[in-house]
Amino acid sequence: MASELSVEKKPLHVPDLAQMAEVLQDGLCSTFGSVQTEVVDCPNLTEKPWSLAAPGICGSNRLADVGGPPYLIPLPTKEKIGRYNMAEIAKLCDLPGGFVFGAGAGSSRIVGVNCEMMPNNLTSDDSKKLSYTAKVGAKGDDCVLEPYPHDEFSLLANLAICEGKPGKVIQVKASARRGDKNFVTAMRLILAEHYGEKGVGVGGVFQISKGSTKLHVMPPFSDTPLQSDKDVEDWLMFYNAKSPLTCLSTFVSRDPGLDLRVEHTHCFSHHGEGGHYHYDVTPDDVEYLGYFVPVEFIYRVDRPVVTHTIGRD
């Protein structure tokens, strides 16, 4: 399977952690009332509330942008349903057995319906497949969050891949949102402004410990072509999720000509809610705590030949 997928690889700029933490500290102050960034030792992320499949997010860090929205929109490309495998993607990204986390689409061949996927698998250990999926419930306006102990996925994913080791990371604490950008977008734009043409890629995990957050869950595949962002918005099921949420995130400050989705974050919880992160809806109450690392490389896997910019929010 893996050998049939196209792969493009580009190096990214890896800033000094202390400098990057300072850049984020200075920039985030315009978006949040309270901000604290520092370089710390990564805590044990296998423990609650994080519940990750590996203890850390360090070691040979890289990102993979697999497939993409053009395989979902305007109509799903059937041969891309169940087409991908996290373990195989890790191999393609020169890190066999790596820890894979991020955001993507689960396989409807397994779940039975189109769904969001929260990848969280240590691909070297079958007992550490701790991913989740979120699908629309029977009522049509509710989320069903389920464990997904599989490597198979469909259509698209934005993945952080690493050795899953402890190490130095950038801790970001932020609360009392004052700006109009969400947590991830704010960080991405800060890095884009500071580093310019030196593209920086980031993988990380964060907790939303207080407040409510707007998420979406994809419903069953649309029978009608989705021709615009408005069509996609009308198709998706949006809802406000309670805290706490564990969020798995990737973002790049600059697309180096690979037709990337520049940011993508999915969330799960231990209270049955999850999906695709948009923004917090209780800015006065929200509290974020995250751990982030810059990556060395970006891999573009199975890039769509026919592309568009619809559905990348």
Side-chain angles (χ1 to χ4, degrees):
M1 175 188 292
S3 62
E4 300 173 5
L5 298 176
S6 64
V7 181
E8 301 162 85
K9 174 185 177 182
K10 290 195 176 183
L12 294 173
H13 177 59
V14 181
D16 173 78
L17 288 183
Q19 181 201 54
M20 183 171 158
E22 184 177 345
V23 169
L24 290 172
Q25 175 74 42
D26 292 344
L28 285 171
C29 287
S30 64
T31 301
F32 292 91
S34 176
V35 178
Q36 180 184 0
T37 70
E38 60 181 321
V39 179
V40 301
D41 290 317
C42 188
N44 184 352
L45 297 175
T46 63
E47 297 179 350
K48 287 187 176 182
W50 305 97
S51 303
L52 298 193
I57 55 171
C58 298
S60 304
N61 294 87
R62 57 210 57 213
L63 298 180
D65 191 322
V66 183
Y71 290 152
L72 173 66
I73 299 164
L75 292 171
T77 304
K78 292 183 179 180
E79 57 265 31
K80 303 300 181 182
I81 295 173
R83 177 67 180 85
Y84 307 118
N85 179 286
M86 283 184 243
E88 296 295 339
I89 296 299
K91 290 178 184 177
L92 282 177
C93 295
D94 304 316
L95 199 61
F99 172 41
V100 178
F101 64 96
S107 176
S108 59
R109 300 196 312 182
I110 294 172
V111 178
V113 69
N114 186 32
C115 56
E116 309 289 341
M117 178 182 69
M118 287 57 83
N120 178 23
N121 286 5
L122 182 61
T123 60
S124 63
D125 186 343
D126 285 344
S127 70
K128 298 296 183 180
K129 297 185 190 301
L130 304 183
S131 300
Y132 284 89
T133 56
K135 63 183 180 182
V136 176
K139 295 189 296 182
D141 62 355
D142 59 325
C143 166
V144 177
L145 184 74
E146 298 174 317
Y148 185 73
H150 307 281
D151 278 334
E152 182 178 306
F153 65 98
S154 298
L155 301 169
L156 59 91
N158 295 90
L159 305 172
I161 305 171
C162 65
E163 296 174 25
K165 293 180 177 179
K168 296 295 183 181
V169 296
I170 298 173
Q171 176 182 273
V172 181
K173 295 180 180 179
S175 59
R177 181 171 59 81
R178 297 291 177 257
D180 61 356
K181 302 294 189 296
N182 73 31
F183 184 51
V184 176
T185 300
M187 289 191 289
R188 178 176 61 80
L189 293 177
I190 289 163
L191 297 179
E193 180 178 359
H194 184 84
Y195 293 105
E197 293 297 304
K198 296 179 179 179
V200 176
V202 179
V205 56
F206 61 93
Q207 278 280 317
I208 306 175
S209 58
K210 291 185 179 180
S212 297
T213 303
K214 183 177 181 179
L215 306 181
H216 84 235
V217 176
M218 291 188 294
F221 293 124
S222 176
D223 294 325
T224 303
L226 304 173
Q227 303 286 10
S228 66
D229 283 326
K230 178 64 165 57
D231 288 347
V232 174
E233 184 175 331
D234 291 343
W235 169 65
L236 295 170
M237 191 280 286
F238 292 91
Y239 76 104
N240 293 338
K242 302 184 296 292
S243 297
L245 296 171
T246 297
C247 306
L248 311 173
S249 187
T250 72
F251 54 97
V252 293
S253 68
R254 176 181 173 273
D255 183 348
L258 295 176
D259 191 29
L260 302 177
R261 189 172 191 164
V262 293
E263 65 178 71
H264 201 179
T265 302
H266 282 186
C267 312
F268 68 89
S269 70
H270 297 292
H271 58 263
E273 294 183 315
H276 175 109
Y277 168 79
H278 284 273
Y279 48 82
D280 60 83
V281 295
T282 52
D284 292 340
D285 301 327
V286 72
E287 292 185 2
Y288 291 95
L289 169 63
Y291 299 100
F292 302 93
V293 289
V295 308
E296 301 174 69
F297 302 101
I298 176 74
Y299 290 76
R300 189 65 173 96
V301 180
D302 200 26
R303 190 207 307 203
V305 175
V306 178
T307 191
H308 56 67
T309 61
I310 300 170
R312 301 199 186 197
D313 184 10

